[in-house]
Amino acid sequence: MDYEHVPAPATGRYKADELVLYGVKLNANDDYGRFDIGEGHSTELRVQLFKDGGGLKAGDYSIVLAYGYAFDGHCYRLDSHRIFIVTGPKAEAAVGCGFDSIAGASYQMWRIRASTELIEIATSFGDAQSLILDANLPGKRSPTSYAITQSMAHRDRRLNRD
């Protein structure tokens, strides 16, 4: 077993459904996370969590750019970077799965339960042709967007077996 496949060590009490999320905190320096929206450095999208009308501070939640996770003694890499909002646990310095051995990188980890509720932010950049028209061609739409109809089979308009 090489070092990259060693999961983060458990701390304190063992939790069977613990998941360790690895990534970087996008709101580490500000109360919001910044996203480049493709128009150069002059335009950005800012995401901040609000509660009871007031903006939460960076220490109250994390906007995580996730690269991988550890679960049940194994390390996994995500197929692409994903952005999550984690409101529960605080970030810790990354340990295990090869994220602590990268020089100059400031990876962090979040220990969450499998039942923890997260918000995922999906970002896409493109023109209207690719984001709307091409994405909604038949065969590319999500299954829930198709009309679902049901018909009841019967014999001569009778619903009983007589």
Side-chain angles (χ1 to χ4, degrees), residues 124-159:
S124 297
F125 180 77
D127 58 4
Q129 172 77 32
S130 61
L131 293 178
I132 299 171
L133 299 177
D134 293 344
N136 285 299
L137 289 173
K140 291 187 177 181
R141 293 183 284 213
S142 70
T144 58
S145 67
Y146 292 99
I148 299 173
T149 59
Q150 180 180 1
S151 62
M152 183 179 287
H154 57 83
R155 291 184 285 161
D156 195 28
R157 293 187 281 285
R158 291 180 290 159
L159 299 177

Side-chain angles (χ1 to χ4, degrees), residues 33-94:
R34 297 176 182 205
F35 301 93
D36 180 8
I37 63 167
E39 294 182 359
H41 295 290
S42 62
T43 308
E44 66 184 12
L45 173 68
R46 295 182 179 182
V47 175
Q48 183 176 6
L49 204 58
F50 282 76
K51 185 175 184 179
D52 297 327
L56 295 179
K57 301 295 180 195
D60 297 333
Y61 71 105
S62 299
I63 300 175
V64 179
L65 179 61
Y67 297 103
Y69 63 97
F71 181 72
D72 208 19
H74 299 282
C75 295
Y76 303 94
R77 298 277 191 243
L78 297 170
D79 55 349
S80 64
H81 309 329
R82 296 175 63 186
I83 301 168
F84 297 106
I85 296 180
V86 179
T87 57
K90 304 292 182 199
E92 305 173 28

